[in-house]
Amino acid sequence: MINTDVAMGLVRVTEAAALRGAKLMGRGDKNAADQEAVNGMEKAFNLMPIRGTVVIGEGEMDEAPMLYIGQEVGLGEENMPEMDIAVDPIDGTVLIAKGLPNSIAVVAMGPRKSLLHAPDMYMKKIAVGAGAKGAIDINKSPKENIINVAKALNKDIHEVTVIVQERERHNYIVEQAREVGARVKMFGEGDVAAILACGFENTGIDLMIGTGGAPEGVIAAAAIKCMGGEMQAKLEPHNDEEKQRCIAMGIEDVEKVLTIDDLVRSDDVYFAATALTECDLLKGVVFSKNETATTHSIVMRSKTSTIRFVEAVHHLYKSNLVQK
């Protein structure tokens, strides 16, 4: 049984990552910023009353010394719940290194075996908020999906905004969106933040289409599930080695359309995010005098459909999660 303290503990995890990573905003060193975020996130996780196992993390055990796949986190006492953990200490490391918007720290958590163990490869994705649930089909063209989302939302096609990562592989999406008269918003990095924005009407973003990292897709699916939206995905292995990795992780049919219930196999999952830099939904970390900082976060639970926005002021000299 998860209590509110555990749910709010997830916010402390993403806050710790964001506070440490954001100190290096604009310094031009994405690896250093990522390592700082990892350090903060791991420290915070080890204070949580769970028996957690990282299923999506910084890499395999021999690739990442911390928050590696298979690492156990949490206090780990016998009476505590067993949980799958998916982390991205900084989604958008290039963004924080350059001081650009949409860099966030994110965590998804669910009961053991609830999160798809997605291999580190490309994944095709399409996502919408609750208002357009049932209107998307990843096997249909971007044009068809945009038209169907407009109908579901009772919007004129010219009022629909599709968010697309600025990559050459997505040129066809942009072209088709423009053909039907939809608005297009481009972003550079960080598709978790982009998908998260689809779930809230006040962001003005209705639909996300594109191909990005599979691990990030699972984390984003947890957020969409908490918001009552819909997401579909398809893995895109580029060679036999990647196909074998899918099979080794329990995904035998690599051509299968993955529904949100395939990506997140529980109706009681959690998602938390803290912005390092400004994004569509959250304000970034603001450092003030006297070693204080303000963070803006979101934490959600699918079982209750609860969505909390958390603004916190941190006294950094008192926090053992932020100090080295």
Side-chain angles (χ1 to χ4, degrees):
M1 183 73 176
I2 297 290
N3 56 38
T4 303
D5 288 340
V6 175
M8 292 304 293
L10 275 188
V11 176
R12 299 184 186 100
V13 169
T14 55
E15 285 174 344
L19 285 165
R20 292 188 64 151
K23 285 185 175 181
L24 296 181
M25 185 186 81
R27 302 284 185 86
D29 191 339
K30 67 175 187 177
N31 293 329
D34 189 54
Q35 187 59 58
E36 282 296 314
V38 169
N39 292 343
M41 184 171 276
E42 186 186 53
K43 270 190 174 184
F45 255 127
N46 288 329
L47 298 176
M48 288 191 63
I50 58 170
R51 288 183 288 160
T53 302
V54 177
V55 297
I56 290 175
E58 292 292 280
E60 301 293 338
M61 185 175 180
D62 57 350
E63 298 171 355
M66 302 167 71
L67 296 180
Y68 56 83
I69 297 170
Q71 180 178 345
E72 296 181 358
V73 295
L75 293 173
E77 295 178 12
E78 190 172 333
N79 63 333
M80 294 176 180
E82 294 183 276
M83 307 297 288
D84 276 0
I85 305 292
V87 305
D88 197 343
I90 301 182
D91 181 41
T93 54
V94 171
L95 301 176
I96 192 66
K98 293 183 176 181
L100 295 172
N102 283 340
S103 180
I104 61 173
V106 292
V107 170
M109 181 174 77
R112 186 61 50 88
K113 297 184 179 179
S114 63
L115 301 180
L116 180 73
H117 295 197
D120 190 7
M121 63 179 60
Y122 277 120
M123 173 185 275
K124 187 177 179 182
K125 312 165 192 176
I126 183 168
V128 290
K133 188 174 182 178
I136 56 173
D137 184 341
I138 200 168
N139 288 324
K140 290 184 177 178
S141 68
K143 184 185 296 186
E144 291 174 286
N145 278 299
I146 292 167
I147 291 170
N148 289 336
V149 166
K151 290 177 181 177
L153 296 175
N154 196 27
K155 280 187 171 186
D156 185 272
I157 197 74
H158 301 96
E159 297 172 332
V160 173
T161 301
V162 56
I163 190 166
V164 183
Q165 189 175 24
E166 190 175 10
R167 294 290 187 271
E168 188 175 340
R169 64 179 178 268
H170 295 150
N171 286 350
Y172 78 101
I173 300 172
V174 175
E175 289 168 4
Q176 291 191 34
R178 288 172 176 168
E179 280 177 21
V180 296
R183 289 156 39 92
V184 179
K185 181 170 183 176
M186 309 291 285
F187 69 98
E189 305 279 345
D191 62 358
V192 176
I195 293 173
L196 183 62
C198 293
F200 294 88
E201 189 174 347
N202 62 356
T203 64
I205 295 168
D206 302 300
L207 170 67
M208 186 273 186
I209 309 176
T211 300
E216 292 85 353
V218 176
I219 296 172
I224 288 291
K225 191 158 197 175
C226 289
M227 293 183 283
E230 183 178 5
M231 180 172 167
Q232 296 175 11
K234 289 180 77 172
L235 289 167
E236 294 201 333
H238 288 165
N239 51 48
D240 287 338
E241 181 184 349
E242 290 192 346
K243 288 181 181 178
Q244 290 304 314
R245 284 172 60 198
C246 292
I247 294 169
M249 297 182 84
I251 306 166
E252 294 183 5
D253 183 4
V254 296
E255 302 292 329
K256 179 183 177 181
V257 172
L258 300 169
T259 67
I260 197 162
D261 290 327
D262 294 317
L263 297 165
V264 181
R265 298 184 291 264
S266 172
D267 291 325
D268 194 8
V269 294
Y270 295 77
F271 173 87
T274 302
L276 283 79
T277 58
E278 194 90 10
C279 62
D280 289 301
L281 196 61
L282 300 167
K283 189 174 181 180
V285 178
V286 176
F287 291 98
S288 306
K289 62 183 180 180
N290 300 324
E291 292 192 71
T292 61
T294 304
T295 57
H296 294 82
S297 307
I298 186 171
V299 60
M300 303 184 278
R301 183 182 183 186
S302 62
K303 185 176 181 179
T304 59
S305 299
T306 304
I307 300 173
R308 291 185 174 91
F309 288 90
V310 181
E311 180 178 348
V313 178
H314 306 265
H315 296 275
L316 304 180
Y317 60 91
K318 292 183 178 180
S319 173
N320 64 353
L321 297 178
V322 178
Q323 299 297 325
K324 291 185 179 181

